[in-house]
Amino acid sequence: MTGFSGTTQGAGGEAPQDLRGGETAAARGGDGRSGTATDRLMEEVVGWNNVEKALARVRQNKGSPGVDGMTVDEMPKHLEGAWEGIRRQLLAGTYQPKPVLRREIPKAGGGTRKLGIPCVLDRLIQQAILQVLQPIFDPTFSEHSHGFRPGRGAHKAVREAQGYVQEGYRWVVDVDLEKFFDRVNHDVLMGRLAKRIADKRLLGLIRRYLNAGIMVHGVVVECNEGTPQGGPLSPLLANVLLDEVDKELERRGHKFVRYADDSNVYVKTQRAGLRVLEGLKRLYGKLKLRVNEEKSAVGRPHERSFLGFSFWYGPGGVARRRVSRKALGVMKGKVRRLTSRNGGKSLKMAAERLGKYLSGWGEYFKLAETPGVMRSLDEWIRHRMRAIQLKHWKRGKTTFREVRKLGLSEELAAKVAYGTRRWWWNANMALKIAMPMSTFDKLGLPRLSRYYTS
């Protein structure tokens, strides 16, 4: 067995006693529970194998330092000297988490999303808690819940939604929760957790994480509601809270799919959809959550967006997936920023930056069943790239010389050089011959149409 820094612990290769203490069968990979007893979960949380597994995951995820400035790489060395005291505090129920560091990142649809960055030690402890609680809660969650669960993901959620549309459920109740992660009621959440967890030390620790506060511009702000996005434990807590709505929808026999706080219910008539929407408002209200009236609606599947996709009916009335208008708009806005002709960047540099974005976008949206749209996007992106090259050449003489090198005749090269400053028009004319798609393939710019698989 190796220690936190990767060095062998003890002559026999065992972990030191202060780290092994409290290890259970669950921490070693077994179940470790008798019946439904959950009053000794903290021993599982601090078990040696569980903590090492948590540390490996935290190091894999990397991430920025929290309020204490400690980096992920510094954590193993710190634990070698500090873990015994931390473990004792956790078992005694006296450990106090540090406030999370507030960061705001741009949202795809505009505005910003508030993230809370816990310090590395608290990320480690939260991950250790997650590894113990997830096997308890996850098997009881709804089959229609896909967010932040092992073996599930956005693509499975989209396929399930498509299946309902194919079955003839041609209206969708699209529900958006207003600032969900900021509005989680601590008392309601803790009440749901207490129904399944008997270990008061663990319940107390989770409550302290919820109440740890947020550091904004060097000032700690008290946190009386919400579970900050950014910690390993927040997604599980969200699923614990929202599972109550899932179970009620199941009881009523509704066709629905949920991914985190994005939930769609599929019905056959608009009237039924309006009834379901009113019912959902009441259900969420019992959890002290608020439905965003402006973004929630009953509409057709091709009008609404679910995880970036919408659905349309192709030949033979078969439901198909496509990138939603909103997601396409966001993507084009990002590409425009990365291919701005005023950035002063070379074609190679632009291709590198754009390639990173397109690789991730293409991998996610490869589920779209619209290869023609992807080919059109490829052409549009290359059009913008050619315009960058024209702007980079600037002068007509330079343009003439360079496109001649690319194989254009004198006549076509002259036409390109003459219209040098007509960036967009010129980039789609003769320059398209001089700089075909293969030019950008050599620069490593991925083609979105190649991600699609029928």
Side-chain angles (χ1 to χ4, degrees):
M1 184 177 292
T2 58
F4 288 120
S5 63
T7 57
T8 302
Q9 301 294 316
E14 295 183 348
Q17 183 63 39
D18 61 286
L19 295 176
R20 284 203 316 269
E23 187 175 10
T24 65
R28 293 191 300 270
D31 183 67
R33 299 184 188 91
S34 175
T36 57
T38 58
D39 59 343
R40 301 288 290 173
L41 293 180
M42 190 59 78
E43 277 71 17
E44 297 188 34
V45 170
V46 301
W48 166 252
N49 283 358
N50 188 53
V51 173
E52 276 214 321
K53 181 182 175 182
L55 179 60
R57 177 57 62 90
V58 170
R59 297 185 73 178
Q60 179 183 348
N61 292 341
K62 299 180 181 179
S64 305
V67 295
D68 60 357
M70 183 178 296
T71 67
V72 171
D73 292 334
E74 293 170 339
M75 175 54 54
K77 187 68 175 177
H78 171 73
L79 289 176
E80 287 186 355
W83 176 246
E84 180 180 0
I86 296 167
R87 175 180 169 276
R88 287 175 179 170
Q89 291 178 41
L90 289 169
L91 290 174
T94 59
Y95 178 81
Q96 182 60 50
K98 291 182 171 60
V100 299
L101 185 64
R102 168 62 52 82
R103 285 284 184 268
E104 294 190 7
I105 61 172
K107 292 174 67 174
T112 59
R113 174 177 287 110
K114 296 177 181 178
L115 291 183
I117 304 176
C119 65
V120 180
L121 176 59
D122 285 323
R123 296 209 293 270
L124 169 70
I125 295 171
Q126 285 193 35
Q127 180 64 36
I129 295 172
L130 174 66
Q131 291 166 184
V132 170
L133 292 187
Q134 196 157 48
I136 298 174
F137 283 95
D138 194 82
T140 68
F141 288 152
S142 168
E143 285 298 307
H144 309 291
S145 169
H146 297 269
F148 310 110
R149 298 183 61 191
R152 297 171 180 264
H155 284 182
K156 285 189 176 181
V158 170
R159 286 192 176 97
E160 182 179 346
Q162 181 186 15
Y164 294 141
V165 177
Q166 181 62 47
E167 290 173 18
Y169 294 86
R170 300 198 173 196
W171 289 89
V172 58
V173 184
D174 186 4
V175 180
D176 182 90
L177 294 178
E178 190 174 289
K179 298 181 179 179
F180 168 71
F181 284 95
D182 295 334
R183 294 278 170 82
V184 170
N185 183 281
H186 292 174
D187 292 334
V188 173
L189 174 59
M190 293 307 303
R192 271 57 182 178
L193 291 171
K195 291 178 180 179
R196 305 283 300 280
I197 300 173
D199 194 325
K200 295 187 182 301
R201 297 165 300 174
L202 183 53
L203 289 171
L205 179 59
I206 294 174
R207 168 73 84 164
R208 289 195 294 277
Y209 270 119
L210 293 173
N211 294 336
I214 300 170
M215 180 171 285
V216 183
H217 303 303
V219 178
V220 177
V221 179
E222 289 187 8
C223 188
N224 298 315
E225 64 176 1
T227 171
Q229 296 183 72
L233 198 54
S234 291
L236 177 66
L237 298 181
N239 279 333
V240 168
L241 187 62
L242 295 176
D243 186 62
E244 186 167 317
V245 176
D246 296 343
K247 292 298 195 297
E248 182 60 25
L249 288 173
E250 287 180 343
R251 190 185 69 80
R252 298 182 184 184
H254 287 305
K255 307 293 185 181
F256 74 97
V257 58
R258 181 174 67 81
Y259 188 94
D261 57 327
D262 289 329
S263 180
N264 277 5
V265 184
Y266 294 85
V267 295
K268 292 192 174 182
T269 67
Q270 185 180 27
R271 185 177 179 182
L274 293 172
R275 287 199 304 268
V276 170
L277 181 57
E278 290 304 312
L280 283 171
K281 289 178 183 178
R282 291 191 292 271
L283 286 173
Y284 287 122
K286 291 179 181 179
L287 299 177
K288 308 296 184 183
L289 297 172
R290 189 181 306 166
V291 172
N292 189 320
E293 298 282 354
E294 293 183 1
K295 295 183 179 180
S296 301
V298 178
R300 296 290 192 178
H302 68 271
E303 298 170 338
R304 308 302 298 179
S305 174
F306 181 60
L307 301 178
F309 291 88
S310 60
F311 307 101
W312 59 288
Y313 289 98
V318 178
R320 301 289 188 185
R321 303 178 294 266
R322 69 182 180 192
V323 184
S324 70
R325 290 190 182 93
K326 180 180 178 181
L328 273 178
V330 171
M331 178 265 196
K332 286 188 172 183
K334 179 72 171 180
V335 171
R336 287 188 181 100
R337 290 191 294 273
L338 291 173
T339 57
S340 170
R341 295 188 296 274
N342 298 320
K345 48 186 161 303
S346 67
L347 193 66
K348 182 179 179 181
M349 185 184 299
E352 288 176 354
R353 294 179 180 178
L354 185 58
K356 293 178 181 178
Y357 173 71
L358 292 180
S359 295
W361 195 92
E363 185 63 34
Y364 180 75
F365 284 105
K366 67 183 180 182
L367 209 61
E369 298 171 293
T370 51
V373 172
M374 296 304 181
R375 287 193 294 269
S376 296
L377 286 172
D378 284 337
E379 288 288 351
W380 175 73
I381 291 167
R382 271 74 184 165
H383 190 163
R384 294 193 63 83
M385 294 292 285
R386 294 183 191 106
I388 288 178
Q389 184 62 81
L390 277 176
K391 181 67 179 290
H392 190 65
W393 285 332
K394 293 182 181 178
R395 298 174 59 188
K397 290 183 178 180
T398 303
T399 301
F400 180 83
R401 183 180 68 247
E402 295 299 329
V403 295
R404 284 287 287 149
K405 289 180 182 178
L406 293 173
L408 282 190
S409 67
E410 286 192 14
E411 181 182 358
L412 288 178
K415 287 182 179 180
V416 175
Y418 178 76
T420 298
R421 295 191 178 278
R422 299 171 66 184
W423 315 116
W424 188 247
W425 175 84
N426 210 1
N428 203 36
M429 300 301 288
L431 192 59
K432 191 173 181 179
I433 301 172
M435 300 180 69
M437 296 286 278
S438 59
T439 299
F440 304 100
D441 293 341
K442 292 176 182 177
L443 288 172
L445 193 65
R447 295 192 194 187
L448 298 177
S449 54
R450 289 180 175 172
Y451 283 95
Y452 171 76
T453 54
S454 60

